[in-house]
Amino acid sequence: MTGRTKPRPPERAGGHRPPARGWWGRGGGQSKVLDGPVLARGTTVQVCGLWPWVVGAGTPRAGVPLGRHLDTGATVCADPISWFRDARLIANPSLFILGLPGLGKSTVSRRMVVGLAGYGVVPMVLGDTKPDYVDAIRAIEGQVIELGPGRGSLNVLDPGESSGAAALLRDAGHPTEAAQVEADAHSRRRVIVSALIAILRKAPVSAIEESILGQALYVLDARHPGVPVLTDLLQVIRDAPDRVREVAVDRGSRQRYDEITEALEAALLSLVRGGRLGDMFSRPTSEPMRRDRPVVYDISGLPEGEQDQRAAALLACWSNGFATVNVAHTLADVGLEPRRHYLTVMDELWQALRSGPAMVDRTDALTRLNRTIGTGTIFITHTMADLASLATEEDRMKARGFIERAGMVICGGLPAHEMPMLTQVVPMSRREETLLASWATPPGWKSDRDTPPPGMGKFLVKVGGRAGIPLQVELTATEAGIHDTSHRWHEAER
Ligand SMILES: Nc1ncnc2c1ncn2[C@@H]1O[C@H](COP(=O)(O)OP(=O)(O)OP(=O)(O)O)[C@@H](O)[C@H]1O
Ligand SMILES: [Mg+2]
């Protein structure tokens, strides 16, 4: 209200209201600058009688408290299980976390692990490569299973709890469920052995070879009284039982059978003799996984350079973890066990996806559950470029499907060139794209250890086409003490 078009001052007397900026004119005290209203937050108990100007919090209150909304400062709570089960905000309890390295993806996922454990969910961290979760799982009295050369082993042919569970189900008069558990264990073992061989060879396992493995596993289960190991599977293939020869299509010729199975035998021999993938998968399981306590598989003992070993270990952990969850759900369905809810965490997804051909399919098969109800999943990877660098278009499409199917996506700082790929699967506004790219900016040259990169702990929670919720994860003092993935560096500096 400046310049020549000043309105006439309204009459002051007679109860007129002042205009928006106050009375103008001499002695009026008109305000040139309008302050924004003061924002204050309180619970409904504290501010129940306050009216007007009250607005509900823009963020859901259900779930694990993650941090503060970057614009409003309100507490943001989010986790895939609470948002699915309690708040009904997402269509399935799965979360995909994307972001550049070192910006706090594992930290936010670990917050959910600890928070949900507090709500009674059983977290299972299926493969920790750093380790990011070991201390936290130990702190909540969970089970830490070490895998690696000279540490522990995970026999991929161990049916785990499924044999015992199947017997229990039959005794209790549930033969259909028992057969389901057995069939699931059988297919998981076939998939994981095929996956190990594909990683070893860097070439796919043929359909015939997969059938041979499948039939050999049936023969093995029938003839082997205890828990078999890969050497026993190799022996079955060498013994050439009829059931296996039939699917090998050897047309009655033993020589042809030997030719068909030669490559398979060589791969199994490498696994048994501790070849490139070590003998971690062919020795008896050193410590079985429990299904009533938080669990983490610590695979940080595997050398960082041994990408294939790490990928194989991740897949083996996923296979074992999901098999256990399936058994637990089936037993709970028929009332033989209390119903437990699980949260499975698959960090460093890219390591497994890039380890060989068709790994996306195998990951999909290994992490599939008969019923998704009662199990939340967290997948973590770096960038869309990780997925785009997969060898075939088919794999790339399927990998995108992982994100598309996730009920909830949390993005950290990502470079601007990621956006065209990302927005194809997660709709983003221009502003959101700019925000994510700004979090990917490196810190200034002069920054020291106390100045974190701008994107540290900043995330955007996206659910379908809704506007994202930007938040800053704040570490509690306990978390900051327990978790510091760069602690080896910091120790050296002290
Ligand atoms: N919100 C935060 N505030 C302060 N420090 C944090 C925060 N989040 C993470 N950090 C610190 O940043 C470092 C890296 O975090 P984290 O391991 O979670 O990153 P990441 O994204 O999982 O990395 P990578 O991709 O390498 O696995 C850790 O030392 C952690 O303590
Ligand atoms: Mg991480």
Side-chain angles (χ1 to χ4, degrees):
M1 291 201 198
T2 52
R4 278 164 278 145
T5 54
K6 272 185 184 173
R8 271 176 57 78
E11 276 304 317
R12 293 192 191 193
H16 281 298
R17 283 162 172 261
R21 289 172 188 257
W23 300 116
W24 72 276
R26 188 171 299 184
Q30 191 199 36
S31 171
K32 292 283 179 214
V33 181
L34 270 192
D35 285 336
V38 176
L39 266 179
R41 278 181 301 127
T43 66
T44 33
V45 175
Q46 289 166 321
V47 294
C48 54
L50 206 65
W51 187 90
W53 320 126
V54 179
V55 287
T59 55
R61 288 277 162 175
V64 176
L66 294 186
R68 293 198 180 279
H69 194 292
L70 278 176
D71 299 332
T72 65
T75 306
V76 178
C77 300
D79 70 72
I81 294 189
S82 313
W83 275 32
F84 173 72
R85 187 185 57 185
D86 308 331
R88 296 181 191 276
L89 290 168
I90 53 178
N92 63 73
S94 62
L95 161 65
F96 204 103
I97 307 182
L98 281 161
L100 285 176
L103 292 183
K105 298 180 300 295
S106 302
T107 304
V108 71
S109 133
R110 202 187 49 255
R111 165 72 64 84
M112 291 184 193
V113 162
V114 175
L116 283 172
Y119 295 158
V121 171
V122 183
M124 290 184 169
V125 182
L126 304 174
D128 186 356
T129 51
K130 292 283 173 64
D132 282 321
Y133 302 82
V134 168
D135 293 337
I137 294 285
R138 209 170 262 136
I140 55 174
E141 294 173 1
Q143 186 188 16
V144 179
I145 306 174
E146 287 194 15
L147 293 183
R151 291 183 170 203
S153 43
L154 181 63
N155 173 13
V156 286
L157 293 190
D158 194 339
E161 317 228 3
S162 55
S163 323
L168 209 65
L169 285 161
R170 279 215 172 82
D171 289 349
H174 302 289
T176 323
E177 282 80 1
Q180 260 176 22
V181 165
E182 279 168 347
D184 182 68
H186 181 268
S187 79
R188 275 179 206 280
R189 290 190 299 167
R190 179 176 44 76
V191 172
I192 186 67
V193 175
S194 312
L196 293 185
I197 295 175
I199 293 177
L200 204 61
R201 288 183 183 163
K202 294 274 175 221
V205 175
S206 71
I208 286 193
E209 285 176 324
E210 206 153 328
S211 312
I212 293 174
L213 286 172
Q215 293 305 319
L217 277 169
Y218 282 125
V219 175
L220 185 63
D221 283 342
R223 71 148 86 145
H224 201 282
V227 176
V229 287
L230 281 172
T231 320
D232 303 316
L233 183 69
L234 177 62
Q235 194 52 49
V236 170
I237 292 175
R238 282 178 171 163
D239 291 349
D242 288 344
R243 195 169 172 171
V244 178
R245 287 186 68 168
E246 203 179 323
V247 291
V249 204
D250 66 3
R251 311 223 182 279
S253 150
R254 175 65 204 229
Q255 193 194 342
R256 198 173 137 84
Y257 175 83
D258 289 343
E259 281 163 16
I260 293 168
T261 54
E262 191 176 339
L264 199 56
E265 212 178 310
L268 285 171
L269 253 177
S270 166
L271 287 171
V272 168
R273 297 273 162 83
R276 204 153 53 78
L277 295 186
D279 61 355
M280 191 169 56
F281 309 108
S282 55
R283 284 185 282 133
T285 300
S286 51
E287 189 182 343
M289 169 178 182
R290 297 186 48 166
R291 56 173 184 267
D292 57 350
R293 269 172 60 186
V295 182
V296 57
Y297 275 107
D298 179 2
I299 57 169
S300 60
L302 292 174
E304 225 159 280
E306 298 285 351
Q307 288 288 328
D308 288 345
Q309 264 190 29
R310 285 190 161 211
L314 282 173
L315 287 168
C317 294
W318 298 351
S319 167
N320 209 39
F322 277 82
T324 309
V325 170
N326 244 350
V327 165
H329 282 325
T330 313
L331 289 175
D333 283 346
V334 299
L336 287 174
E337 270 203 0
R339 167 76 65 202
R340 292 190 197 91
H341 295 296
Y342 293 92
L343 174 73
T344 50
V345 180
M346 281 141 292
D347 207 333
E348 309 277 338
L349 177 72
W350 62 274
Q351 294 204 12
L353 293 189
R354 289 215 303 219
S355 61
M359 275 309 145
V360 187
D361 261 346
R362 306 220 185 269
T363 305
D364 207 22
L366 290 175
T367 56
R368 202 176 301 140
L369 289 164
N370 291 344
R371 296 165 196 75
T372 48
I373 298 160
T375 310
T377 49
I378 302 183
F379 283 105
I380 306 176
T381 200
H382 291 153
T383 58
M384 292 295 292
D386 284 338
L387 308 181
S389 65
L390 294 173
T392 65
E393 182 55 28
E394 200 188 341
D395 273 1
R396 289 193 285 272
M397 294 285 289
K398 285 182 181 158
R400 274 208 295 272
F402 265 110
I403 307 185
E404 272 162 353
R405 285 197 302 273
M408 175 183 195
V409 178
I410 294 189
C411 301
L414 285 167
H417 60 76
E418 279 273 302
M419 298 308 159
M421 270 184 288
L422 182 63
T423 45
Q424 275 177 19
V425 273
V426 187
M428 298 254 179
S429 69
R430 270 275 148 172
R431 191 170 168 270
E432 287 172 343
E433 287 180 28
T434 322
L435 195 64
L436 292 186
S438 73
W439 295 342
T441 328
W445 287 112
K446 280 184 81 179
S447 67
D448 50 33
R449 246 188 60 195
D450 298 329
T451 326
M456 172 71 88
K458 292 197 177 69
F459 292 98
L460 187 70
V461 182
K462 289 288 295 180
V463 172
R466 286 173 193 247
I469 304 173
L471 71 117
Q472 168 77 56
V473 176
E474 285 164 11
L475 297 188
T476 61
T478 320
E479 278 178 315
I482 286 187
H483 180 65
D484 183 357
T485 41
S486 322
H487 66 96
R488 285 194 197 147
W489 291 102
H490 297 172
E491 265 164 22
E493 287 166 19
R494 275 181 205 129

